[in-house]
């Protein structure tokens, strides 16, 4: 059962199925909301994914710093591929120890942008004495995939029999005075602070230019900001696609184009200390593209221009993306087979964990999480819920929809149908008791143990 089937099923039960774009958008939004609430409320076996996440140990090197400048001179790995720009050092913390008189102190900076393999840009100007310093780069915040909701298990795959890491809160770590800077073999994981990338207000740098045989179409353009396109421990995009921490979509800019018009994209120049890369996404109703897909360069000007496939523009700008937006191309299967859809999980906060002790060498950690479903936008999109129980999404939607039209009696009917199907799903797919039901003391970590005789506690 796909999105079109769910819409038809709702229309059949409501006996109301108009050809109306606004109605469809609202119904699809309710269907997506219902699926998300159902899937993230319990630890369904089919909604869990196990992934290997790369964790980097601390790295020390000698770099050159200049007073009043944010530029760092050192040796850094950086991608030379314009399709996959960036470096894993972007968003790393840099600790600099200075001595002024009899006082020694340490300052923390963040690497925002890597200009070359020998030069990086910090988040602010260095305010110490110009010279060479032994600095330490740290990657203590290990960010989870953007679709991760609850962490089920963290284990070390390098061990013969992978051992489950303990859950440890930062309060417990501080209470027993564990050293947060300790390196070694991972024993526990700690929930840590998340990050969110601010979105641009409107798409900038979009221009209408002349084209030939493009077809009459409407292009809706969105823009996103990106940080650290090669800094994610795990990407939701395929390996040969630029990733990173994306913002939510900007406001839409709509362009009604004739057969002799197309679009080009030239982002503005930004201060490198900001560290924001830029990308564009678009939809085209005439071509059936209702989910935003990424704008990618398609004209290398006979080898003299920007490489084909470039879609991420660094802070200094200086690039013009020239995609093929002709109607024939947008309707073709080759385009759809390679197009990159925007992941709406990217617009939320990126969750992170820390490890104790932090690994003393670069390694992979296996993390199993409950995942949030992808948003359904086009008719062929399918829900994450198994086909046997996909109708539960429609019943949950109709429960909300009938309340909206002031029909509580009918809403209760759909609620009973929804609950009946959810009980069937629990019997077949629920591998463990929901974490929101905890028996005894809810703090089950490093120092304290649960009380098996305690009362049941319902957590939000």
């Amino acid at each position: 059962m796909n999105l079109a089937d769910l819409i038809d099923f709702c229309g059949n039960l409501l006996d109301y199925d108009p050809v109306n774009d606004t109605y469809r958008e609202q119904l699809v939004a309710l269907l997506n909301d219902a699926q998300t609430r159902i899937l993230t409320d319990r630890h369904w076996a089919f909604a869990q994914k196990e992934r290997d996440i790369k964790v980097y140990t601390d790295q020390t090197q000698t770099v050159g710093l200049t007073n009043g400048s944010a530029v760092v001179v050192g040796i850094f790995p950086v991608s030379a591929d314009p399709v996959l720009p960036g470096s894993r050092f972007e968003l790393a913390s840099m600790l600099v120890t200075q001595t002024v008189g009899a006082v020694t102190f340490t300052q923390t900076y963040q690497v925002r942008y890597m200009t070359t393999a020998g030069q990086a840009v910090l988040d602010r100007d260095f305010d110490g004495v110009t010279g060479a310093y032994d600095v330490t780069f740290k990657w203590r915040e290990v960010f989870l995939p953007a679709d991760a909701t609850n962490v089920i298990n963290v284990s070390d795959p390098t061990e013969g029999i992978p051992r489950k890491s303990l859950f440890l809160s930062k309060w417990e770590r501080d209470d027993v005075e564990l050293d947060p800077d300790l390196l070694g073999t991972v024993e526990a994981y700690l929930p840590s602070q998340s990050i969110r990338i601010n979105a641009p207000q409107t798409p900038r740098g979009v221009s209408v230019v002349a084209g030939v045989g493009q077809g009459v179409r409407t292009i809706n353009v969105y823009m996103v900001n990106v940080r650290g396109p090669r800094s994610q421990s795990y990407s939701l995009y395929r390996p040969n696609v630029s990733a990173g921490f994306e913002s939510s979509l900007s406001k839409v800019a709509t362009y009604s184009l004739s057969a002799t018009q197309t679009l080009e994209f030239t982002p503005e120049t930004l201060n490198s200390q900001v560290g924001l890369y830029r990308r564009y996404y678009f939809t085209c109703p005439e071509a059936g593209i209702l989910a935003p897909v990424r704008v990618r360069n398609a004209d290398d000007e006979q080898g003299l221009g920007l490489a084909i496939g470039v879609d991420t523009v660094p802070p200094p700008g200086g690039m013009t993306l020239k995609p093929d937006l002709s109607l024939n191309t947008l309707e073709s299967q080759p385009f759809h087979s390679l197009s990159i859809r925007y992941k709406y999980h990217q617009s939320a906060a990126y969750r992170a964990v820390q490890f104790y002790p932090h690994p003393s060498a670069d390694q992979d950690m296996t993390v199993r999480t409950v995942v949030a479903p992808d948003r359904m936008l086009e008719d062929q999109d399918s829900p994450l819920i198994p086909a046997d129980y996909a109708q539960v999404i429609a019943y949950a939607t109709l429960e909300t929809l009938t309340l909206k039209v002031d029909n509580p009696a009918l809403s209760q009917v759909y609620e009973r149908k929804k609950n009946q199907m959810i009980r069937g799903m629990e019997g077949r797919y629920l591998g463990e008791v929901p974490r929101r039901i905890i028996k005894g003391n809810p703090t089950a970590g490093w120092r304290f143990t649960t009380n098996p005789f305690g009362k049941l506690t319902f957590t939000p």
Side-chain angles (χ1 to χ4, degrees):
M1 177 172 279
N2 56 26
L3 180 60
D5 297 328
L6 289 172
I7 293 175
D8 291 343
F9 184 75
C10 291
N12 182 40
L13 291 180
L14 291 174
D15 197 20
Y16 180 73
D17 190 17
V19 180
N20 185 306
D21 291 340
T22 302
Y23 169 78
R24 185 187 187 280
E25 290 176 0
Q26 293 181 357
L27 181 58
V28 168
L30 291 173
L31 288 167
N32 281 306
D33 176 70
Q35 179 182 208
T36 301
R37 285 188 290 107
I38 291 171
L39 289 183
T40 57
D41 185 56
R42 293 166 174 81
H43 294 171
W44 303 109
F46 58 82
Q48 297 181 22
K49 283 189 178 181
E50 200 167 70
R51 292 136 164 179
D52 288 336
I53 294 179
K54 192 70 174 180
V55 184
Y56 299 101
T57 190
D58 300 351
Q59 181 174 325
T60 301
Q61 66 169 281
T62 302
V63 301
L65 296 170
T66 303
N67 179 267
S69 172
V71 175
V72 183
V73 179
I75 301 175
F76 312 105
V78 63
S79 172
D81 186 355
V83 179
L84 300 171
S87 167
R88 72 175 178 89
F89 273 75
E90 291 175 340
L91 301 185
S93 298
M94 188 185 79
L95 278 65
V96 185
T97 300
Q98 304 176 60
T99 301
V100 179
V103 179
T104 299
F105 59 94
T106 300
Q107 289 182 303
T108 301
Y109 296 83
Q110 186 182 60
V111 179
R112 285 294 177 84
Y113 174 59
M114 202 68 60
T115 56
T116 64
Q119 194 174 86
V121 179
L122 302 176
D123 58 342
R124 64 187 188 276
D125 293 340
F126 179 64
D127 57 4
V129 179
T130 300
Y133 290 84
D134 292 331
V135 302
T136 301
F137 293 95
K138 293 186 176 183
W139 294 264
R140 292 307 173 91
E141 307 294 338
V142 180
F143 291 97
L144 301 175
D147 63 351
T149 55
N150 294 330
V151 178
I152 303 298
N153 182 41
V154 176
S155 59
D156 186 351
T158 61
E159 298 184 2
I161 300 178
R163 175 177 49 82
K164 181 177 180 179
S165 299
L166 297 172
F167 171 83
L168 179 68
S169 70
K170 288 187 176 180
W171 180 86
E172 291 168 324
R173 180 196 64 186
D174 297 339
D175 182 57
V176 295
E177 299 180 354
L178 300 176
D179 182 7
D181 293 326
L182 182 66
L183 299 179
T185 302
V186 174
E187 299 286 347
Y189 70 95
L190 304 80
S192 190
Q193 61 189 11
S194 305
I195 63 169
R196 185 190 298 273
I197 310 301
N198 293 328
Q201 290 184 332
T202 57
R204 308 286 296 179
V206 185
S207 57
V208 180
V209 298
V212 178
Q214 298 291 308
V216 178
R217 66 230 183 273
T218 300
I219 303 294
N220 300 308
V221 178
Y222 306 87
M223 189 178 186
V224 299
N225 290 329
V226 186
R227 279 215 173 105
R230 292 181 71 89
S231 298
Q232 281 184 311
S233 301
Y234 186 94
S235 172
L236 296 183
Y237 296 113
R238 58 180 186 263
N240 61 341
V241 170
S242 181
F245 300 94
E246 287 185 320
S247 71
S248 58
L249 298 172
S250 69
K251 293 181 180 179
V252 64
T254 301
Y255 296 87
S256 299
L257 304 177
S258 68
T260 58
Q261 293 177 319
T262 188
L263 298 177
E264 291 184 355
F265 304 82
T266 309
E268 300 167 307
T269 298
L270 299 180
N271 190 323
S272 295
Q273 294 183 30
V274 176
L276 290 178
Y277 293 74
R278 276 70 53 80
R279 291 189 189 127
Y280 296 92
Y281 288 85
F282 74 95
T283 61
C284 179
E286 290 82 359
I289 302 176
L290 303 180
V293 296
R294 194 179 296 183
V295 171
R296 310 190 79 185
N297 188 59
D299 183 6
D300 65 353
E301 301 177 15
Q302 299 179 349
L304 301 177
L306 198 61
I308 292 177
V310 172
D311 53 31
T312 305
V313 180
M319 295 182 179
T320 298
L321 304 179
K322 300 179 180 180
D324 184 357
L325 298 178
S326 65
L327 194 57
N328 287 337
T329 297
L330 300 184
E331 291 177 335
S332 65
Q333 188 174 7
F335 173 82
H336 287 279
S337 65
L338 294 175
S339 61
I340 306 164
R341 284 178 59 162
Y342 177 74
K343 300 288 188 179
Y344 280 90
H345 312 299
Q346 305 282 84
S347 64
Y350 292 85
R351 296 186 58 194
V353 295
Q354 291 184 359
F355 294 110
Y356 177 82
H358 194 75
S360 56
D362 296 348
Q363 71 168 82
D364 290 333
M365 293 295 293
T366 301
V367 179
R368 187 168 79 249
T369 63
V370 176
V371 298
D374 288 327
R375 187 174 298 187
M376 300 179 292
L377 292 172
E378 299 179 355
D379 286 347
Q380 71 275 10
D381 295 342
S382 299
L384 183 58
I385 293 177
D388 293 347
Y389 291 93
Q391 288 181 352
V392 70
I393 302 174
Y395 287 127
T397 300
L398 293 171
E399 175 193 352
T400 303
L401 193 60
T402 48
L403 274 180
K404 182 179 178 180
V405 296
D406 199 20
N407 194 337
L410 188 56
S411 177
Q412 290 178 359
V413 173
Y414 291 130
E415 181 185 11
R416 287 195 296 270
K417 293 286 291 183
K418 178 197 72 174
N419 291 337
Q420 182 181 3
M421 296 193 73
I422 288 179
R423 284 194 296 270
M425 289 174 59
E426 289 177 341
R428 181 176 296 185
Y429 299 111
L430 193 60
E432 60 186 54
V433 177
R435 281 239 178 125
R436 62 189 180 88
I437 304 177
I438 301 172
K439 188 173 185 179
N441 186 346
T443 303
W446 185 266
R447 185 177 178 186
F448 302 100
T449 59
T450 58
N451 174 13
F453 304 104
K455 65 178 182 179
L456 289 177
T457 302
F458 291 83
T459 61

